Amino acid sequence: SYNDQKMINIGENRYRLSGVVNFKYQFSPQWYSESFLLYNWLSDNTHYKASPSYTGVLSQDPSMSLTTYLAYQSPQYWQAYIGLEQMMGTDQHLDGQAYSKGQKDIKAYVGATIPLDAHNLVHFRYGQTIAMETGYREDNQLILKLSHLW
């Protein structure tokens, strides 16, 4: 739970349930397109610190996003892709009252995955908001991630 005496608070004091439906079409051995629909449901955060003097119950409507991209897989196992992601936002409520509008936007991105060895991958992704209805604009999003495969 949230502690206003700590500089970093880990967790949101709630649970998340996510589901994904994925479609992939292989054009050739190297080229493919993939789309997936992500559904998120979050339980209520019963100890949400709305301000230094007020703690309430934060609830959130379910959210969905649709992502689609075109990718190239090289014979050396590196991958490059370009894609779009549409967020179909979720409204938030504090103690049953409207609190904030959900993120509703479209982002474009490019990325690459490069194998370092048989078990480690490095992922790079750059994205930018190209259309926005509600939420916050990401002028530049940069993700660098390391994955280990067991």
Side-chain angles (χ1 to χ4, degrees), residues 72-138:
Y72 175 80
Q73 175 80 45
S74 81
Q76 293 80 29
Y77 301 107
W78 60 265
Q79 173 182 303
Y81 58 89
I82 184 168
L84 293 171
E85 177 183 64
Q86 181 175 7
M87 292 290 298
M88 294 158 264
T90 175
D91 294 343
Q92 295 182 334
H93 310 278
L94 183 60
D95 293 331
Q97 302 298 315
Y99 184 61
S100 69
K101 287 289 199 187
Q103 187 78 14
K104 294 179 182 168
D105 67 359
I106 299 174
K107 291 183 179 71
Y109 57 89
V110 296
T113 300
I114 301 166
L116 300 176
D117 57 36
H119 297 284
N120 295 293
L121 303 169
V122 64
H123 309 270
F124 170 82
R125 176 172 142 170
Y126 172 78
Q128 206 173 56
T129 301
I130 58 172
M132 187 175 77
E133 184 180 326
T134 59
Y136 59 92
R137 176 177 292 281
E138 290 182 342

Side-chain angles (χ1 to χ4, degrees), residues 5-103:
Q5 301 301 311
K6 289 184 180 179
M7 180 188 236
I8 297 173
N9 284 271
I10 298 174
E12 299 179 37
N13 193 32
R14 59 183 168 174
Y15 298 97
R16 176 187 307 255
L17 178 65
S18 297
V20 177
V21 176
N22 191 16
F23 300 98
K24 184 175 180 179
Y25 181 76
Q26 196 82 35
F27 296 106
S28 71
Q30 283 84 31
W31 288 95
Y32 67 92
S33 177
E34 191 165 16
S35 296
F36 52 93
L37 182 66
L38 174 66
Y39 177 87
N40 279 311
W41 172 86
L42 292 128
S43 66
D44 292 348
N45 180 339
T46 56
H47 294 57
Y48 180 72
K49 193 82 166 173
S51 71
S53 62
Y54 182 76
T55 300
V57 176
L58 180 70
S59 60
Q60 201 165 319
D61 297 337
S63 67
M64 290 193 307
S65 66
L66 176 64
T67 303
T68 189
Y69 61 89
L70 177 65
Y72 175 80
Q73 175 80 45
S74 81
Q76 293 80 29
Y77 301 107
W78 60 265
Q79 173 182 303
Y81 58 89
I82 184 168
L84 293 171
E85 177 183 64
Q86 181 175 7
M87 292 290 298
M88 294 158 264
T90 175
D91 294 343
Q92 295 182 334
H93 310 278
L94 183 60
D95 293 331
Q97 302 298 315
Y99 184 61
S100 69
K101 287 289 199 187
Q103 187 78 14

